Amino acid sequence: MIIILNNKATETNIQELTDLLKARDLGVHISRGAETTIIGAIGVLDEEKAEFAEQLISLAYVERVVPISKPYKVVGRAFRPEGTVINVKGVEIGGNKICVMAGPCTIESREMLMETAKFVQENGARILRGGAYKPSTSPYSFHGMGEEGLKLLAEARDLTGMPVITEVMDTRDVELVCKYADILQVGTRNMTNFSLLREIGECRTPVMLKRGWASKIEEWLQAAEYIASRGNYDIILCERGIRTFESYTRNTFDINAIPAVKELSHLPVIADPSHGTGKWNLVDPISCGAIAAGADGVIVEVHPLPERALKDGGQSLKYDTFSKMMSHLSPIAKAVGREL
Ligand code: PEP
Ligand code: MN
């Protein structure tokens, strides 16, 4: 249930209500908006809902009680109608500014990472991406530099001032990756790795949850709920394409998902046209389309020499195509009332 408090509610009232809910063994999630505080009470039995709602409404500081029938609650729009803005070391995601995350698919060496980081930062990127632990369909391909790569990523952050995002695949690595990363990435293959989602829910590092390649929007939001239910509310959703009958592109970028999840959830949404298309020449137009559809930003792969990339060269932008894309995004952002 969602309990919406009125403007008479004090901190003592919020505490009193929290204690009351906890005494009933309910999960308690608090969302403090500019005008209203909303409390999510998770675990009320269906047959008790009506009576409990009546008891709560008798409290002078309760405005309304809304039963939530959806399978996701804390990440649902009703919990924070004004939307979530996540502040990652000064970079806002979900606010008026469009956030561009860019960098190589995989960290390959110090030289290429530092060079790429500097370039994308000078050309408008605000978050640096780079994989140190790489998921791979083949057990024989490159799996990333591991902790060595994380150290290089931290060095690139010091060099450019950009916060960094990197993937974590294993529950055993969460603590280590949190030491270096400003945003954890959960990749498409791990969207339903519930032990990983729970572990990430326990930490307080922001997380970007990619949509599973064969997952419905509702399943994706339920995966986000796993993380939020453990108290980590700093979740960014990422549409990265789904598998369809079409094989011309690597995946089918589901542009529908962007306005749909913006409506269903208060979480920010980032588009990944690199994995969504698998083709570098489609990254720029699909980025533009995603921003026009309401995405809060894009994450794109950039490599100084895609023809030599150890991974995902065919979908990586070069320096010139990255700056071209940035110049196209700016007027689109403006047209939808945002800025780059
Ligand atoms: C990546 O970001 O490099 C990646 C592996 O993404 P996905 O999980 O979407 O395939
Ligand atoms: Mn990649």
Side-chain angles (χ1 to χ4, degrees):
M1 304 200 314
I2 297 281
I3 306 157
I4 299 146
L5 307 187
N6 60 30
N7 53 16
K8 289 192 223 85
T10 62
E11 279 306 314
T12 319
N13 295 147
I14 295 171
Q15 192 53 54
E16 177 188 85
L17 186 51
T18 303
D19 293 344
L20 188 147
L21 298 172
K22 284 195 172 156
R24 287 181 71 127
D25 250 353
L26 300 174
V28 181
H29 300 272
I30 304 175
S31 163
R32 287 183 165 84
E35 323 246 291
T36 28
T37 295
I38 297 178
I39 299 189
I42 311 297
V44 186
L45 298 174
D46 276 351
E47 59 271 28
E48 292 177 356
K49 274 184 182 158
E51 199 184 320
F52 190 37
E54 273 200 47
Q55 291 170 355
L56 291 171
I57 205 75
S58 72
L59 295 165
Y61 52 89
V62 171
E63 175 87 31
R64 251 168 343 119
V65 179
V66 185
I68 302 283
S69 52
K70 293 202 167 76
Y72 50 88
K73 299 165 197 302
V74 184
V75 304
R77 186 45 91 164
F79 185 61
R80 200 176 278 159
E82 72 278 19
T84 287
V85 180
I86 298 172
N87 190 315
V88 185
K89 296 207 167 136
V91 175
E92 283 192 345
I93 304 169
N96 197 51
K97 251 182 156 71
I98 296 299
C99 178
V100 174
M101 307 183 182
C105 172
T106 307
I107 300 158
E108 296 169 6
S109 69
R110 165 178 284 117
E111 197 190 1
M112 69 83 72
L113 183 66
M114 303 308 151
E115 194 197 289
T116 315
K118 264 202 268 176
F119 180 82
V120 297
Q121 192 261 334
E122 281 161 9
N123 284 271
R126 297 168 71 220
I127 307 266
L128 175 66
R129 67 149 288 151
Y133 294 93
K134 294 306 299 179
S136 220
T137 306
S138 163
Y140 305 116
S141 53
F142 183 51
H143 283 83
M145 293 177 75
E147 189 172 4
E148 189 75 18
L150 295 177
K151 286 183 179 158
L152 292 177
L153 205 54
E155 199 179 316
R157 170 182 49 212
D158 294 343
L159 180 77
T160 60
M162 274 189 295
V164 297
I165 177 168
T166 195
E167 178 159 358
V168 58
M169 297 198 297
D170 195 309
T171 48
R172 292 166 295 187
D173 296 329
V174 172
E175 207 181 316
L176 176 77
V177 179
C178 278
K179 277 213 288 203
Y180 297 96
D182 302 303
I183 307 175
L184 302 172
Q185 174 172 314
V186 175
T188 192
R189 296 161 186 80
N190 272 317
M191 192 208 83
T192 49
N193 180 342
F194 299 115
S195 9
L196 182 65
L197 301 180
R198 275 198 212 100
E199 194 73 22
I200 288 174
E202 296 294 340
C203 63
R204 293 296 171 264
T205 305
V207 52
M208 186 173 85
L209 176 67
K210 289 194 155 195
R211 179 182 182 180
W213 52 267
S215 297
K216 299 204 281 184
I217 288 171
E218 189 169 275
E219 293 162 339
W220 184 20
L221 292 173
Q222 280 183 273
E225 185 82 10
Y226 257 93
I227 300 172
S229 67
R230 297 280 169 133
N232 188 349
Y233 302 131
D234 288 339
I235 306 163
I236 303 152
L237 298 168
C238 175
E239 164 59 40
R240 50 79 71 200
I242 47 175
R243 184 170 293 179
T244 67
F245 58 81
E246 181 56 74
S247 58
Y248 176 69
T249 48
R250 180 177 178 177
N251 289 293
T252 296
F253 182 81
D254 181 12
I255 199 152
N256 298 354
I258 291 169
V261 291
K262 291 296 282 184
E263 204 171 285
L264 296 170
S265 172
H266 54 81
L267 298 174
V269 184
I270 295 287
D272 175 352
S274 303
H275 296 87
T277 66
K279 290 181 182 291
W280 71 267
N281 53 316
L282 302 184
V283 169
D284 178 348
I286 299 307
S287 290
C288 289
I291 297 304
D296 296 294
V298 294
I299 181 163
V300 293
E301 292 183 338
V302 178
H303 196 288
L305 290 170
E307 64 276 22
R308 298 220 192 131
L310 296 182
K311 256 185 187 301
D312 290 354
Q315 65 190 36
S316 297
L317 295 174
K318 291 185 192 170
Y319 291 166
D320 60 340
T321 43
F322 176 72
S323 5
K324 215 178 209 174
M325 179 196 80
M326 293 302 282
S327 71
H328 294 156
L329 287 183
S330 183
I332 306 259
K334 226 175 248 159
V336 291
R338 320 267 305 250
E339 55 179 310
L340 193 61

